[in-house]
Amino acid sequence: MEKTEKIWLDGELVPWDEANVHVLTHTLHYGLGVFEGIRCYKAKNNKPAVFRLNEHVDRLFQSAVVLGIDIPFSKKEIFSAILLVIKKNRLKECYIRPIVFLGHNQMGLNPSGVDVRVAIAAWPWGTYLGDEGINSGIRVRISSFTRHHVNITMTRAKACGHYVNSILAKTEAIRDGYDEAILLDQQGYVSEGSGENIFLFSKNRLRTPALSCSNLEGITRDSVFDIAKHLKIEIEEGHITRDELYIADEVFLTGTAAEITPVREIDNRAIGNGKKGKTTARIQKVFFEIVRGNHTKFNRWLSKV
């Protein structure tokens, strides 16, 4: 990780190495916290622009509501603080991590009365699954781990503790020689990747698991719906089985970190011709035009720093 100069912590900018927490921080022990992953891109005239910042801030607060956390700052304050962190660190492109976590003034499973703290960090971070993955596709496996049930940890929240499940799946996939994992829900239907939503293209239709399949309501996922509409590609949500992935013409993953990443192989089965598909390439091309500020129709998604 490449350090930057300042991190916003509880309303103040502090030096990177001084943005510390106590060893008894509640969220460190119990996992109750929420966060976001956001990207800022170098857009026109080398000016930084944040992709769908309003939607990310909204989801941060929605996640907090789901988990019963009262964020001690307004949406407007968090929005402004994110732009401030980018500006003060003189970043043209970066990954941004706001996190809302519980402090160390008391312990125990009852979070009532525990201090709520907020931090925002930003740093340069390249393609999550690699440039080769973006261009040529990645190899994935169906995980042996099942995604959370919607009524166990309430999957609409982007919660810190949820990612133990993701780490187990990702670690297993990497250990077995793959780039990423795909998790199934409790009924055996496709849910999502360890940190990405998933789409398949088959019979001239783009399909993705419904939000009842224990998957997060991804912001890049939502962007693909609008991009598909713009490209006049039929798109639908529903249940998808693992064998439908195997015989799909194309499969790709979406996420703030992953962006639009093609999948060339699942469980040692080539997807389509084993290369990035034409439809994936079309969607990927428009996506990168949008985030670079080269698609006026979608300029509403960019917040200038």
Side-chain angles (χ1 to χ4, degrees):
M1 182 183 295
E2 183 179 339
K3 290 183 180 181
T4 54
E5 293 182 19
K6 300 288 186 180
I7 290 176
W8 191 90
L9 182 61
D10 298 326
E12 297 181 2
L13 288 169
V14 300
W16 177 285
D17 289 326
E18 296 178 19
N20 301 316
V21 297
H22 195 277
V23 70
L24 293 180
T25 295
H26 195 280
T27 301
L28 176 63
H29 291 259
Y30 301 117
L32 189 70
V34 297
F35 70 95
E36 278 297 315
I38 310 169
R39 275 198 188 268
C40 175
Y41 291 89
K42 188 188 296 182
K44 286 186 176 179
N45 301 317
N46 288 327
K47 299 291 186 181
V50 185
F51 183 61
R52 302 199 70 172
L53 180 54
N54 282 303
E55 290 85 350
H56 279 287
V57 172
D58 284 345
R59 191 173 65 178
L60 181 71
F61 277 77
Q62 290 165 3
S63 295
V65 168
V66 169
L67 296 188
I69 299 172
D70 187 13
I71 299 177
F73 298 94
S74 68
K75 288 184 181 181
K76 184 177 180 180
E77 287 173 315
I78 297 300
F79 184 100
S80 298
I82 289 169
L83 297 180
L84 179 66
V85 168
I86 299 166
K87 186 176 181 179
K88 290 295 184 181
N89 286 301
R90 301 184 299 278
L91 294 165
K92 296 296 183 182
E93 289 193 311
C94 60
Y95 182 85
I96 308 143
R97 171 55 54 86
I99 181 169
V100 179
F101 62 100
L102 303 188
H104 66 278
N105 58 310
Q106 67 184 47
M107 292 289 281
L109 293 179
N110 180 9
S112 179
V114 184
D115 295 335
V116 178
R117 307 187 63 187
V118 184
I120 302 167
W123 65 91
W125 196 12
T127 306
Y128 177 60
L129 292 168
D131 291 335
E132 184 180 350
I134 286 283
N135 294 322
S136 303
I138 61 171
R139 298 178 65 248
V140 307
R141 64 157 291 176
I142 303 298
S143 180
S144 69
F145 296 95
T146 302
R147 186 49 99 200
H148 307 280
H149 186 276
V150 293
N151 202 37
I152 292 175
T153 52
M154 294 185 292
T155 53
R156 282 295 179 94
K158 191 173 176 68
C160 298
H162 290 182
Y163 283 79
V164 172
N165 181 232
S166 297
I167 289 169
L168 291 170
K170 179 79 171 184
T171 303
E172 176 187 60
I174 298 297
R175 181 198 66 203
D176 292 347
Y178 297 89
D179 302 303
E180 187 52 279
I182 294 172
L183 294 94
L184 307 180
D185 68 12
Q186 304 72 35
Q187 295 178 288
Y189 293 108
V190 175
S191 178
E192 60 181 353
S194 69
E196 311 89 6
N197 293 115
I198 186 167
F199 288 81
L200 69 83
F201 184 73
S202 182
K203 298 179 181 178
N204 293 316
R205 287 182 302 164
L206 197 59
R207 299 175 58 205
T208 193
L211 293 175
S212 58
C213 296
S214 300
N215 45 339
L216 185 70
E217 188 174 6
I219 290 166
T220 309
R221 174 188 186 273
D222 180 72
S223 303
V224 169
F225 274 78
D226 280 5
I227 292 170
K229 183 179 179 181
H230 169 73
L231 293 173
K232 295 180 170 53
I233 299 169
E234 184 180 348
I235 186 169
E236 63 180 35
E237 299 173 279
H239 286 114
I240 296 171
T241 59
R242 62 189 293 181
D243 50 4
E244 287 181 285
L245 292 181
Y246 296 155
I247 60 176
D249 297 322
E250 304 177 36
V251 174
F252 62 88
L253 303 178
T254 66
T256 295
E259 297 164 308
I260 310 290
T261 299
V263 174
R264 72 174 190 270
E265 186 180 303
I266 301 175
D267 292 342
N268 296 309
R269 296 164 172 86
I271 303 303
N273 62 6
K275 299 178 181 179
K276 177 167 63 177
K278 292 181 179 179
T279 300
T280 302
R282 291 176 68 202
I283 292 169
Q284 190 186 68
K285 180 177 182 291
V286 172
F287 174 81
F288 284 115
E289 287 174 352
I290 291 168
V291 300
R292 301 292 181 194
N294 295 320
H295 208 301
T296 55
K297 180 177 179 178
F298 295 97
N299 277 349
R300 68 186 186 278
W301 284 350
L302 299 179
S303 297
K304 297 179 181 179
V305 178

